[in-house]
Amino acid sequence: MDNIDFDHRPRRSCLYTPGINHKAMEKGKSLAADIIMLDLEDAVAPELKDEARNLVANIVSEKPYGKREIIIRMNEVSSPWAKDDLTMINAVKPDGALVPKVQTAQDIFDIDARLDDGIALWVMIEMPLAILNIQDIAAASQSTKLAGFIIGTNDLAKEYRATATPDRAAFQHALSVTLIAARAYNLIAIDGVYNDIQNASGLEDECRQGQIMGYDGKTLIHPNQIDITNRIFSPAIDDIEKARAIVAAFELPENRNKGVIKVDGKMTELLHLVEAKRLIAMHDAINASGDA
């Protein structure tokens, strides 16, 4: 099959929500996060996996989250909980399933065969072998339900034995090649978490770094990180005004057959028109969600 035709749904903020925490999952119904990530993996102790799975199944079955995208992060495929996780996911049919610790394209094919149609496949890029195999992993989207990548910088730090610094120097290669592979195969790319919950300025700096690189949004570990993330990953008003000017200029009768025109004194090509339309579509989608 062709890979999924992605809409312009905003995916600025992806909030990890522990699948064992009923209160947190209930709170997600009123939060402005674009994606609620119900987590059965890292956030749940081994002895609570079954209970968490049942809690997540019950709440997702109610379809309580409105326009928010709902993704369930299952346990690693090789774990003793993965089979039951997949059975539950196929039964309640969230928007997507997130698989941790993938390493090869074959991992994508194997999990895709076990995931029902209509459920998008997302994967964590958090292992060194996944970075080495990132192009093949992304290319697997051409014949599977693979929808997007989520960078796992905490796991990468552990695997690299790296020191995490504000500039994320240790992870620049991983961030870059993952983003490039995602764009090459029309996949969504979500940046990793920022761990210092109380450091708003640090979060803003890291969001801007991800946004400048081209990431669609960022994974979050606390609701107080949503507003900053949504603001930075939303198109700026000035950019929307410029985009509308580009679209209007190309629609003038004298410009309709031209590949290059001048807009506000700047040479503007058809590629700028494509980007302008994407920004406007994203802006409209954010407004429609009520979380602009």
Side-chain angles (χ1 to χ4, degrees), residues 148-175:
F149 293 151
I150 295 181
I151 282 278
T153 41
N154 283 340
D155 277 275
L156 282 174
K158 178 178 80 70
E159 297 294 328
Y160 283 9
R161 304 175 193 166
T163 299
T165 56
D167 61 2
R168 298 198 290 180
F171 312 115
Q172 287 303 300
H173 175 74
L175 288 164

Side-chain angles (χ1 to χ4, degrees), residues 46-75:
E47 64 272 16
L48 298 176
K49 296 289 188 183
D50 292 340
E51 181 181 351
R53 187 185 308 110
N54 290 332
L55 285 172
V56 168
N58 289 336
I59 199 163
V60 174
S61 295
E62 297 169 1
K63 308 294 182 187
Y65 291 104
K67 295 180 180 179
R68 297 166 191 83
E69 197 165 2
I70 305 305
I71 298 174
I72 298 174
R73 178 161 74 168
M74 59 179 285
N75 288 283

Side-chain angles (χ1 to χ4, degrees), residues 202-235:
L203 172 65
E204 181 160 353
D205 288 344
E206 195 164 290
C207 284
R208 290 201 180 281
Q209 183 190 58
Q211 186 269 333
I212 287 169
M213 292 186 75
Y215 275 85
D216 296 292
K218 190 167 184 65
T219 42
L220 312 177
I221 56 175
H222 195 279
N224 70 9
Q225 298 178 318
I226 294 172
D227 288 346
I228 289 173
T229 305
N230 280 352
R231 172 170 54 83
I232 292 175
F233 283 97
S234 296

Side-chain angles (χ1 to χ4, degrees), residues 16 41 73 98-102 122-127 130 148-153 155:
Y16 285 117
E41 191 210 14
R73 178 161 74 168
L98 176 61
V99 183
K101 296 179 174 58
V102 301
W122 293 67
V123 297
M124 297 291 301
I125 304 300
E126 55 188 346
M127 302 296 287
F149 293 151
I150 295 181
I151 282 278
T153 41
D155 277 275

